[in-house]
Structures are given as C-alpha cells and as structure tokens.
Amino acid sequence: MSQPSSSSSSPAAPAAKKKVSVGDLAAMRKDGVKIAVLTAYDYSTSLICDRAGVDVILVGDSAAMVVLGHPSTVPIGMHEMAMFCGAVSRGAKRAMIVGDMPFGSYQPSDEKAVGSAVQLIKAGCDAVKLEGGAEMAGRAKAIVDAGIPVMGHIGLKPQTAALWEGYRLQGKTAGSAARLVKDAQALEKAGVFSIVLEMIASEAAELVTSKASVPTIGIGSGPGCDGQVLVLHDLLGIYEDIKPKFVKRYAELAKPMLDAISSYAQEVKAGRFPQEQNTFHMAPGEAEKMRRQAGK
Ligand code: KIV
C-alpha cells in the first residue's frame, strides 16, 4: 500500500481540528444549526467523513449487517465493536466518535453496562449509545455516573425489533407519541446528551424534539429533528440487501466498484496487470548475478 499523501485533491478541507464536544452539540441545537451524523466502521472512511465535515461519527452496530453480513444487528459482539471503534477513532480528528453498545453488552446489569462502555471508551470512542427508553434509563444513568457521555436511542430499536415484530414505523398514534415523549424525558433525566429517534412518524418526532432539552438525531423520522444520521453504506449505495424508504442514496457506488474490480480480475487473468510502472527491479547487474548463481 502506498504512503498517505498530502494531496490537495482530497475531498474537502477540514474546517477545524478541535474535537466536537457534547457542549458543541447542545450549542448547535440552541442556535438551530443542524447536526450531521453518519456511521463509519473503519479508518479510511472515518478520515473521509471527518474531512467532509460530519459532526458525529457513529460506529453503529449496523456493522453487523453492512460489514459482517448478518441479517440483523443482534449477533455482533463487544470484541468486534471495539475493533471498529478503534479504527474509526484513528481516522477522525474533529468528529465526535460514538460507539454503539452491542446487544447483550448492557442489558444484564448496570455493572456489565459500565464495563462495556469503558471498553468502547478505551478503544477510542468519545461517547457510547444504547437502545431503549424509560426501561433503559437506569442503565444510561449508571454509565453517565461513571463519567461516560451517553446517547439514547428510541423509536425503532433494531436490536430488539429484530427479535419481535420486525422493523416497523413508531409513533403512529397520539398514544404512541406520548410514550416516546416519556421515553425521551426518562433518558434526559438519566443524563444522556442526545437521543437518536429511529423511524418515528415525523409529527411525533417533532413533538419529542420540541419537548426535549437535548439534541435529537433522526433516522427515518422527518426533518424536524436537530440532526440526521444515515448508515454510510446506504448513503453511498454499496449495501443493496435492504433499502428503507428513509434512505437517500447520495451515490450509487456498487456499480463502479463492481466495474473496477471486474476490470482488475480480467487484467490479472489476461496478464495485463501489473505493468512496468507497477513493478520493482533489482539493483543493476544483480538480476544477471542471481540467475548465474541459480544456474539459469
Ligand atoms: O447501528 C446504527 O447504525 C444505528 C443508526 C441507524 C442510528 O444505530
């Protein structure tokens, strides 16, 4: 692999190197500045997200699906999440890194939850995220009390939805919207600094946002949230198994990637790669010497 270059043709110039903090996100909400959140799972894409001005990089447990090929987020474990978190943290200088706590890493007890959160922080994260409303407020508080910033996640909760009714729109009725407001309030009381609202009817997400005192980050929850989050592979068009309605593909990279990789495979098979410009040679005279010694 070639060495990193300081080429001026990089996608976008970094605005500032100072890390985005919990306080910065609160100020953005107060000033009406929308918060751009995106997932990433490795060093190279983290670098690009950071350069592009993404405020928060979420190392989502969606890695289970888009990186590891599982049918849901349930199977991924702490070891894998910590590895992805470490890689992403080495790529981003400005963006806040939030590590998703995988299924099973916080449900059993407060002690287990704090231990798992500590592991993600040691891996390089600035904060952690866990799924659940009022029922998980105690876990969130235990982690906050240990000094670790926590992002909540309500509405569609993929870790448990996958085990029960599947992926369904939340907040479709006034009663359901009221429960979501209660969930958000319980999390706020526990000390979370932000809450992801996943696949919530936009009117209900707007209500939750207006009642909240911390930034809400929507995914499939309409434009009324304080920020938005998407899964990187969805945005780039390289995960083709599922395409939810809320996803906007800003690129269709699967096809150009397929074309490039097909060209490579064909050129290798045809003996057209590597060429002279891709080849290293021995010092002058050494090749003849080597062949003589080898008896060729
Ligand atoms: O795992 C993930 O990518 C997430 C986002 C979809 C919010 O939790």
Side-chain angles (χ1 to χ4, degrees):
M1 191 159 204
S2 59
Q3 295 299 306
S5 81
S6 57
S7 158
S8 59
S9 63
S10 307
K17 282 285 188 309
K18 189 182 148 286
K19 266 267 176 194
V20 173
S21 68
V22 164
D24 292 332
L25 298 181
M28 287 167 81
R29 172 184 156 97
K30 189 164 156 277
D31 298 343
V33 177
K34 295 279 186 185
I35 302 166
V37 184
L38 189 58
T39 71
Y41 316 96
D42 64 49
Y43 170 77
S44 304
T45 54
S46 168
L47 256 179
I48 295 171
C49 292
D50 201 46
R51 278 188 203 150
V54 166
D55 301 304
V56 178
I57 300 179
L58 170 65
V59 188
D61 62 356
S62 47
M65 299 170 77
V66 302
V67 180
L68 301 178
H70 292 296
S72 78
T73 59
V74 170
I76 200 163
M78 276 303 295
H79 175 71
E80 292 147 319
M81 285 305 300
M83 192 185 68
F84 293 137
C85 287
V88 168
S89 75
R90 289 186 282 277
K93 301 282 172 286
R94 174 185 170 271
M96 173 192 285
I97 311 296
V98 178
D100 223 352
M101 298 188 60
F103 184 64
S105 71
Y106 58 96
Q107 286 86 354
S109 66
D110 284 357
E111 290 69 26
K112 173 105 179 161
V114 172
S116 302
V118 165
Q119 253 182 283
L120 295 186
I121 297 296
K122 280 182 182 279
C125 292
D126 304 306
V128 299
K129 173 169 87 58
L130 54 77
E131 292 182 13
E135 78 285 6
M136 280 297 158
R139 291 284 182 277
K141 183 173 183 321
I143 301 170
V144 172
D145 286 348
I148 297 172
V150 177
M151 179 181 260
H153 183 152
I154 61 173
L156 180 78
K157 293 164 280 183
Q159 293 177 357
T160 43
L163 302 172
W164 294 87
E165 78 279 14
Y167 303 103
R168 296 235 176 98
L169 181 66
Q170 308 290 306
K172 280 205 292 190
T173 63
S176 162
R179 280 192 296 280
L180 288 166
V181 169
K182 285 215 167 78
D183 280 336
Q185 285 170 344
L187 289 172
E188 274 185 49
K189 204 160 162 242
V192 304
F193 70 91
S194 171
I195 306 173
V196 167
L197 308 184
E198 179 158 357
M199 239 171 104
I200 296 176
S202 67
E203 299 85 350
E206 236 175 80
L207 178 74
V208 173
T209 300
S210 71
K211 298 267 185 194
S213 58
V214 296
T216 61
I217 307 297
I219 175 161
S221 300
C225 303
D226 297 310
Q228 297 291 325
V229 57
L230 279 180
V231 169
L232 178 70
H233 292 50
D234 288 336
L235 177 156
L236 295 177
I238 53 178
Y239 179 70
E240 299 184 303
D241 292 9
I242 307 168
K243 185 186 177 294
K245 170 186 157 116
F246 61 74
V247 164
K248 177 171 175 185
R249 285 192 174 156
Y250 286 80
E252 294 287 352
L253 295 192
K255 175 77 170 65
M257 284 172 79
L258 178 69
D259 290 348
I261 296 165
S262 303
S263 299
Y264 162 74
Q266 282 164 20
E267 287 196 1
V268 168
K269 286 175 192 299
R272 290 200 303 273
F273 177 83
Q275 297 191 346
E276 181 55 26
Q277 66 266 30
N278 315 113
T279 305
F280 298 102
H281 290 289
M282 296 176 80
E286 289 299 312
E288 291 73 23
K289 196 167 148 194
M290 173 190 73
R291 290 188 193 108
R292 260 198 321 277
Q293 285 173 357
K296 289 206 172 177

